[in-house]
Amino acid sequence: MIETLSIKEQIKKLIELQKLDGDIYALKRELREKPEYLVKLKEDFENKKANLKQHEEQYKTLQVTHKTLEGDLKTQDDAIAKFNAQLSLLKTNKEYTAKLHEIENFKADRSIVEDKILLSYDALDATKANVDKEKVVVAEEEKKYLAEKKVIEDSVKILEDKAKVLESQRAMIAPSVPKAILSRYDRVLEHTDGLAIVPVKDGTCGGCYMTVPAQVANQIKMSKELVFCETCARIIYLVDDL
Ligand SMILES: [Zn+2]
């Protein structure tokens, strides 16, 4: 009957279990962290894509502005041509001078628009260069992201398989520990993130490194019951005692 296992035998079983659980918890930590890292990588990649999109939007806006300016230029050219044609029809000097003045005004406006169009060409070129540069960045980042994603997903599969093997080994050992002891051990394991039973070394607990009082050490030596660290609540044992 396992319920009749001596305390020392129980501790030995728990140490065996702890070896597996230590590895299982480490694997589970890795399994938690890897997808988090993948999320971060994806975020970085999405940010690069958003950056490209911003440059593309900027380019589109500039194209629209450029088109509008070209439209304005055409309107002014048409007006100037129309006024020039009207000049020969005018009868008086006064009318003629007024029309010439009007034409000059249009020409001045036209020259402003022309300057704007030249600047707009520069802006378009610069923005297009940015778009092309960012496209290369995004393409490289995508390659990197997909490659890292695959590495992570593959390693997750391996870790999951390893965890399954360890879990099944654990399932074989666990029934040999009395139920009440096992559930106590499991509770400590959960609260300590995977380290439930530790040796006392040089008078200190191997889990929290606090001094184990002499009377507690004596309690362990008496081997009448499991003894717990007063500070971290882990099960403690004496290596030489086993
Ligand atoms: Zn402790």
Side-chain angles (χ1 to χ4, degrees), residues 198 205-210 229-234 236:
V198 290
C205 163
C208 66
Y209 305 107
M210 297 303 283
C229 170
E230 289 174 334
T231 311
C232 68
R234 290 184 173 95
I236 43 180

Side-chain angles (χ1 to χ4, degrees), residues 73-92:
L73 195 70
K74 172 135 194 357
T75 307
Q76 275 150 348
D77 279 343
D78 291 349
I80 291 166
K82 197 176 97 190
F83 287 166
N84 272 328
Q86 287 169 352
L87 275 179
S88 59
L89 305 172
L90 297 173
K91 304 275 189 299
T92 66

Side-chain angles (χ1 to χ4, degrees), residues 46-86:
E46 292 298 332
N47 283 341
K48 297 259 166 35
K49 277 208 286 193
N51 192 32
L52 168 62
K53 200 165 186 291
Q54 217 179 342
H55 284 291
E56 284 174 337
E57 294 293 334
Q58 199 189 354
Y59 187 63
K60 262 187 217 160
T61 308
L62 285 173
Q63 277 179 317
V64 171
T65 310
H66 191 85
K67 246 197 168 150
T68 308
L69 286 171
E70 281 180 333
D72 291 350
L73 195 70
K74 172 135 194 357
T75 307
Q76 275 150 348
D77 279 343
D78 291 349
I80 291 166
K82 197 176 97 190
F83 287 166
N84 272 328
Q86 287 169 352

